[in-house]
């Protein structure tokens, strides 16, 4: 009743309410008087406008933050200097030109498809104020491999960002200029995101590697795999011999594996796997080794998107994916006509991938310490415009802008290569906000970030995430340089590399930390130690079974030319010789393990897309496709992808 409008309502009001009512009427009369004159009307309109704006602000503040993928995607698009085009362009255009001139843009901000209103958690950031630096020694011994420990977090501070905030904070990127200093950037951030779900019908893996004719040997490729059935992978035989040796890098204040494994803190297993027993197994030399038997309670994931980050052991990861896909008869998404790149180094279009990959796909990538990454890329990309005139990495770093032109089309090889591969502007001004948002975006997009320095731990984590078995992630290191093309770096040079690649450094230190946190959380130290040991044993066994001599050999010593890796820049890339006299099945298995990436992807492409028969051959009558069971739907989608790729690119 009290809400009644009009004068009659006043009869029912008490004395206090009457006073208010009278005051309101007076105010209204005054407003009317003001409104009658021109300046008064202007004043009222202006006041109403202000009121409206303030209301919007208040309403926006009261809204729960939402992870709108489109907003985030747009926000991230603005972190590059190449973002003028609408992402839809790629999907809608009918006839994009060739790979070389089409401005495809990379942006994979797929974001978990399952994220809904609750995904404001994705923007909940724990900002660590602790300082993180690295040491640059490169230990080779087995013990030193474990000489890392997870960095201690300190002074956590929570920050919540809404999508519009993300957007505004990522806009207007500035180019770094000579003599730029880097303002205090929090050393890292962490965010908890949900794990990918399973129940995937087919595999998609996306990999990028550029393969530029003169300036760059790299390629970018997208593979989509389709899996009607999953076969158990046979365990390799167990021959004798020394275990494979990997070069593992060390960093003083970065996570140290030995300390990580020291305590018996084991917080639990991944729900997808149950450890049922451990067994002692005698090797021929009497050595007792522990083998871990795991009973699978999950379904292997076969929808996978892998973002290739250059010079980060990505070729080895690709080999793992290729073998798994081939063995399980999955479908790969390749560039049309068997190329190796999808418009790299133009930015990759997230939506392009998302069109052909189920939303349940697991997205993962791999990172490397930027110090070693740059030492590697300086040799490998020596022909690029920034590096070609510098006599040494030290000379380049002493005056980078003498050699480095941010506008050059191949400049990304020389600075923040990881940042670039993730789709961000490598020359952006380094601010705490930008770094945080970049990390958030990567976390929102990727289910898993591996660390190449801890390749074995990474493989264990990968097989856990994908619910694969240990044999599926055994590999030999590919694309390694020989020692004569490696240069030891002084600590001064290492510091310069970190400063020059500050965005990469932030990405690396952050995900290095979350990598170990995840291991501790999902696997536990003891179990990780056992799994890594088992993995190395398998690698050693395979090396003894498959390889001639002690392992890697220089390019000139590779007898089978089809196993010779691409030689590029000043790098001498090592390869392998297979043992003679292997039986057919073993030879096939071993050959796949050491086949370089380019040769392997070409072979898979040919297998997947056999050449069309000559036109005058009578065509078989087209049969109506049978009704497909759910597991076969992936194959159907795989074919759809092929048509789509063809339709999109020509
Ligand atoms: N298993 C494993 N563990 C650790 N490190 C490894 C492994 N496999 C390859 N590598 C090293 O990764 C470097 C090559 O990286 P990519 O394959 O990504 O290079 S490329 O971008 O495809 O050219 C290359 O580094 P450099 O030798 O320093 O150049 C490889 O030695």
């Amino acid at each position: 009743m009290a809400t009644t409008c009009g004068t009659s309502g006043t009869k029912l009001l008490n004395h206090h309410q009457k006073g208010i009512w009278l005051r309101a009427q007076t105010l209204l009369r005054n407003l009317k008087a003001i409104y009658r004159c021109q300046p008064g009307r202007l004043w009222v309109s202006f006041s109403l406008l202000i009121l409206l704006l303030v209301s919007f602000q208040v309403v926006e503040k009261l809204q729960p933050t939402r992870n709108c993928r489109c907003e985030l995607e747009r926000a991230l698009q603005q972190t590059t200097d190449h973002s003028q085009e609408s992402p839809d362009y790629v999907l809608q255009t009918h006839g994009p030109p060739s790979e070389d001139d089409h401005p495809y843009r990379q942006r994979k901000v797929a974001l978990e498809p399952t994220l809904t209103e609750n995904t404001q958690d994705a923007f909940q950031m724990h900002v660590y104020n602790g300082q993180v630096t690295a040491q640059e020694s490169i230990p080779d011994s087995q013990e030193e491999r474990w000489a890392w420990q997870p960095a201690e977090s300190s002074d956590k501070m929570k920050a919540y960002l809404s999508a519009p905030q993300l957007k505004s904070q990522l806009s207007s990127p500035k180019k770094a200029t000579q003599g730029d200093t880097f303002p205090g950037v929090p050393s890292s951030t962490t965010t908890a995101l949900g794990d990918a779900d399973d129940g995937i019908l087919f595999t998609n893996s996306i990999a990028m590697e550029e393969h530029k004719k003169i300036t760059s040997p790299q390629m970018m490729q997208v593979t989509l795999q389709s899996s009607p059935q999953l076969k158990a992978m046979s365990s390799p035989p167990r021959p004798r011999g020394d275990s494979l040796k990997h070069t593992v890098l060390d960093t003083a204040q970065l996570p140290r594996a030995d300390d990580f494994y020291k305590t018996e803190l084991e917080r639990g297993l991944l729900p997808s796997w149950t450890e049922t027993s451990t067994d002692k197994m005698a090797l021929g030399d009497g050595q007792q080794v522990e083998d871990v038997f795991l009973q699978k309670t999950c379904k292997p994931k076969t929808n996978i998107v892998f973002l290739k980050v250059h010079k980060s052991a990505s070729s080895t990861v690709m080999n793992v994916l290729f073998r798994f896909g081939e063995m399980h008869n999955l479908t790969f998404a390749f560039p049309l006509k068997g190329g190796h790149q999808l418009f790299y180094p133009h930015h990759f279009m997230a939506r392009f991938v998302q069109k052909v990959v189920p939303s349940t796909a697991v997205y993962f990538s791999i990172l490397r310490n930027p110090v070693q990454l740059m030492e590697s890329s300086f040799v490998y990309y020596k022909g690029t415009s920034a590096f070609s005139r510098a006599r040494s990495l030290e000379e380049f770093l002493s005056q980078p802008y003498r050699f480095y032109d941010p506008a050059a089309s191949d400049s990304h090889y020389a600075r923040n290569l990881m940042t670039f591969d993730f789709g961000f502007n490598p020359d952006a001004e380094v601010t705490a906000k930008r770094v945080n948002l970049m990390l958030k975006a990567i976390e929102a997009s990727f289910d898993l970030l591996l660390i190449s320095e801890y390749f074995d731990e990474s493989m264990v984590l990968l097989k856990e995430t994908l619910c694969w078995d240990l044999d599926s992630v055994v590999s030999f290191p590919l694309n390694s340089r020989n020692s004569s093309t490696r240069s030891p770096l002084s600590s001064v040079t290492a510091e310069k590399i970190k400063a020059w690649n500050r965005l990469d450094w932030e990405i690396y230190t952050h995900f290095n930390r979350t990598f170990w946190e995840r291991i501790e959380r999902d696997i536990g130290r003891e179990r990780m130690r056992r799994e890594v040991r088992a993995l190395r044993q398998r690698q050693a066994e395979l090396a003894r079974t498959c390889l001639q001599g002690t392992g890697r050999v220089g390019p000139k010593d590779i007898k089978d030319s089809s196993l010779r890796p691409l030689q590029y820049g000043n790098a001498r890339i090592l390869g392998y010789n297979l043992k003679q006299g292997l039986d057919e099945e073993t030879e096939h298995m071993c050959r796949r393990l050491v086949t370089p990436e380019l040769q392997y992807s070409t072979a898979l492409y040919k297998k997947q897309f056999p050449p069309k028969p000559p036109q005058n051959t009578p065509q078989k009558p087209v049969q109506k496709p049978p009704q497909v069971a759910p597991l076969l739907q992936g194959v159907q989608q795989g074919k759809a992808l092929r048509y789509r790729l063809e339709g999109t690119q020509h």
Side-chain angles (χ1 to χ4, degrees):
M1 296 289 281
T3 57
T4 307
C5 294
T7 47
S8 62
T10 57
K11 290 174 193 157
L12 301 165
L13 301 176
N14 61 29
H15 181 71
H16 177 66
Q17 285 169 326
K18 262 187 199 161
I20 294 173
W21 178 249
L22 284 173
R23 269 202 292 277
Q25 281 187 324
T26 316
L27 184 70
L28 208 65
R29 267 198 300 278
N30 289 343
L31 281 175
K32 272 183 190 164
I34 292 170
Y35 198 70
R36 264 182 228 115
C37 62
Q38 179 73 5
R41 271 200 293 277
L42 275 175
W43 182 83
V44 170
S45 310
F46 183 70
S47 306
L48 284 174
L49 195 69
I50 296 286
L51 200 68
L52 204 67
L53 287 174
V54 168
S55 310
F56 278 141
Q57 292 277 322
V58 169
V59 167
E60 198 186 349
K61 285 234 156 39
L62 291 175
Q63 291 275 337
T65 49
R66 293 167 66 92
N67 181 5
C68 169
R69 290 171 183 227
C70 47
E71 285 289 343
L72 182 55
E73 191 161 330
R74 252 178 268 132
L76 290 164
Q77 195 79 20
Q78 292 174 27
T79 65
T80 75
D81 284 340
H82 339 276
S83 56
Q84 291 79 11
E85 289 172 54
S86 154
D88 291 334
Y89 175 70
V90 171
L91 298 173
Q92 289 167 2
T93 185
H94 295 297
S98 72
E99 287 187 9
D100 288 327
D101 56 14
H102 183 66
Y104 272 32
R105 308 300 183 210
Q106 176 189 347
R107 182 63 70 251
K108 192 282 167 199
V109 191
L111 317 185
E112 272 295 312
T114 48
L115 297 180
T116 56
E117 276 74 13
N118 292 332
T119 53
Q120 61 266 31
D121 291 344
F123 303 109
Q124 178 183 330
M125 298 190 291
H126 300 277
V127 181
Y128 291 80
N129 298 321
Q131 201 53 41
V132 178
T133 53
Q135 76 179 38
E136 274 61 51
S137 62
I138 305 175
D140 247 351
S141 74
Q142 194 81 346
E143 290 69 40
E144 282 173 294
R145 298 169 64 113
W146 303 92
W148 288 43
Q149 68 181 2
E152 287 301 312
S153 61
S154 62
D155 301 336
K156 287 184 188 178
M157 166 178 95
K158 282 183 183 174
Y160 295 87
L161 295 175
S162 66
Q165 282 172 311
L166 275 171
K167 188 178 172 183
S168 66
Q169 290 177 49
L170 278 172
S171 59
S172 60
K174 269 198 224 159
K175 286 267 178 191
T177 51
Q178 188 164 10
D180 264 354
T181 54
F182 302 100
V185 179
S187 51
S188 68
T189 65
T190 59
T191 299
L193 273 183
D195 286 329
D197 43 357
D198 59 8
I200 291 137
L201 301 180
F202 67 101
T203 292
N204 306 284
S205 84
I206 173 171
M208 285 179 272
E209 186 181 346
E210 76 251 53
H211 190 45
K212 284 291 193 186
K213 288 159 216 143
I214 299 166
T215 56
S216 157
Q218 297 200 20
M219 60 186 173
M220 183 176 87
Q221 65 184 37
V222 175
T223 61
L224 173 79
Q225 310 174 345
S226 184
S227 166
Q229 288 291 335
L230 286 171
K231 288 183 275 175
M233 296 184 75
S234 57
S235 297
R238 297 171 177 277
R240 303 167 58 172
D242 295 323
S243 63
L244 280 182
K245 199 172 179 188
H246 297 220
T247 301
V248 176
L249 311 166
D250 203 351
T251 302
Q253 286 131 351
L254 283 172
R256 294 169 61 88
D258 60 345
D259 288 349
F260 181 78
Y261 289 112
K262 245 178 227 163
T263 67
E264 295 302 308
L265 231 180
E266 188 166 350
R267 291 193 185 148
L269 308 175
L270 268 184
S272 58
W273 288 81
T274 317
E275 195 171 344
T276 53
S277 67
T278 58
D279 194 19
K280 296 279 177 191
M281 195 172 295
L283 287 183
D285 55 5
Q287 184 193 0
Q288 291 284 311
V289 295
E290 202 178 60
D291 200 14
V292 180
F293 290 98
L294 296 168
Q295 183 191 326
K296 246 189 225 181
T297 56
C298 56
K299 192 170 160 195
K301 294 182 183 182
T302 52
N303 290 303
I304 299 159
V305 177
F306 172 59
L307 175 75
K308 183 176 172 87
V309 170
H310 293 96
K311 308 318 298 173
S312 298
S314 59
S315 308
T316 310
V317 176
M318 293 284 283
N319 183 272
V320 168
L321 296 175
F322 283 162
R323 278 183 292 124
F324 187 89
E326 188 190 12
M327 188 163 283
H328 296 91
N329 201 23
L330 307 179
T331 302
F332 294 81
F334 288 115
L336 191 69
K337 294 187 176 166
H340 301 290
Q341 59 181 356
L342 280 179
F343 309 107
Y344 191 89
H346 293 298
H347 282 239
F348 188 79
M349 293 302 303
R351 292 180 192 185
F352 182 69
V353 178
Q354 288 157 11
K355 283 270 172 185
V356 296
V357 181
S359 58
T360 49
V362 176
Y363 285 75
F364 81 101
S365 189
I366 187 161
L367 306 171
R368 186 180 185 184
N369 186 322
V371 175
Q372 280 73 38
L373 191 149
M374 193 175 191
E375 190 275 320
S376 171
S377 60
F378 182 79
V379 178
Y380 200 73
Y381 302 122
K382 193 68 179 71
T384 60
S385 59
F387 291 153
S388 58
R389 287 179 300 114
R391 278 168 296 181
S392 66
L393 185 52
E394 284 74 12
E395 188 183 43
F396 175 85
L397 291 163
S398 64
Q399 283 179 295
Y401 285 99
R402 244 183 75 204
F403 307 100
Y404 179 80
D405 173 10
S409 61
D410 57 0
S411 65
H412 58 282
Y413 296 114
R415 189 178 201 191
N416 289 315
L417 183 50
M418 290 197 289
T419 302
F420 181 84
D421 282 351
F422 275 99
F424 302 100
N425 179 6
D427 292 302
E429 188 183 20
V430 183
T431 64
K433 276 180 186 172
R434 179 176 294 278
V435 168
N436 289 338
L437 294 170
M438 188 172 69
L439 298 176
K440 292 303 105 190
I442 295 172
E443 282 179 335
S445 303
F446 288 87
D447 301 290
L448 183 63
L449 274 307
L450 305 176
I451 303 289
S452 67
E453 282 79 18
Y454 308 115
F455 196 82
D456 295 337
E457 284 84 355
S458 292
M459 289 302 105
V460 172
L461 208 47
L462 181 68
K463 67 113 179 147
E464 292 286 316
T465 306
L466 299 178
C467 188
W468 290 7
D469 60 19
L470 198 68
D471 282 335
S472 302
V473 294
V474 178
S475 64
F476 295 151
L478 299 177
N479 226 5
S480 307
R481 282 172 300 151
N482 71 358
S483 52
S484 71
T485 53
R486 290 178 191 278
S487 315
L489 300 174
S490 69
S491 56
V492 175
T493 305
E495 288 307 317
K496 282 182 184 170
I497 293 177
K498 278 189 257 172
W500 175 247
N501 297 281
R502 182 62 188 263
L503 289 169
D504 271 12
W505 183 247
E506 294 297 333
I507 292 176
Y508 180 75
T509 51
H510 172 73
F511 288 107
N512 196 343
R513 178 179 288 120
T514 57
F515 176 81
W516 290 104
E517 286 170 354
R518 184 170 177 153
I519 288 175
E520 184 153 13
R521 188 193 72 211
D522 292 345
I523 299 178
R525 298 164 191 222
E526 271 314 301
R527 192 173 140 223
M528 176 55 90
R529 190 197 284 278
R530 284 199 301 275
E531 297 255 18
V532 164
R533 196 184 304 146
L535 182 70
R536 288 177 186 162
Q537 282 165 359
R538 295 288 165 90
Q539 283 171 331
E541 290 159 6
L542 278 172
R544 290 187 291 262
T545 302
C546 298
L547 305 180
Q548 244 179 57
T550 51
R552 286 172 281 190
V553 293
K556 283 189 187 137
D557 296 322
I558 302 170
K559 289 165 194 155
D560 183 341
S561 60
S562 70
L563 296 181
R564 200 166 293 150
L566 176 77
Q567 302 298 312
Y568 200 74
N570 284 356
R572 285 293 142 261
I573 306 294
L574 304 172
Y576 299 90
N577 283 320
L578 291 179
K579 257 188 186 159
Q580 302 287 309
L582 297 172
D583 66 73
E584 202 182 326
E585 202 181 328
T586 312
E587 208 267 353
H588 184 64
M589 175 200 66
C590 294
R591 179 170 287 277
R592 289 183 310 177
L593 270 162
V594 299
T595 301
E597 187 180 333
L598 300 189
Q599 287 93 316
Y600 209 151
S601 69
T602 302
L604 288 171
Y605 183 88
K606 280 186 188 155
K607 191 178 166 195
Q608 191 168 300
F609 303 118
K612 286 177 187 155
Q615 277 187 337
N616 53 4
T617 312
Q619 295 283 318
K620 279 188 181 171
V622 181
Q623 285 184 342
K624 209 179 158 194
Q627 285 292 320
V628 288
L631 271 174
L632 288 174
Q633 282 169 3
V635 179
Q636 303 281 308
Q637 265 184 281
K639 282 185 181 150
L641 164 75
R642 181 184 170 188
Y643 300 135
R644 207 172 287 128
L645 286 176
E646 286 169 354
T648 309
Q649 294 179 26
H650 283 281

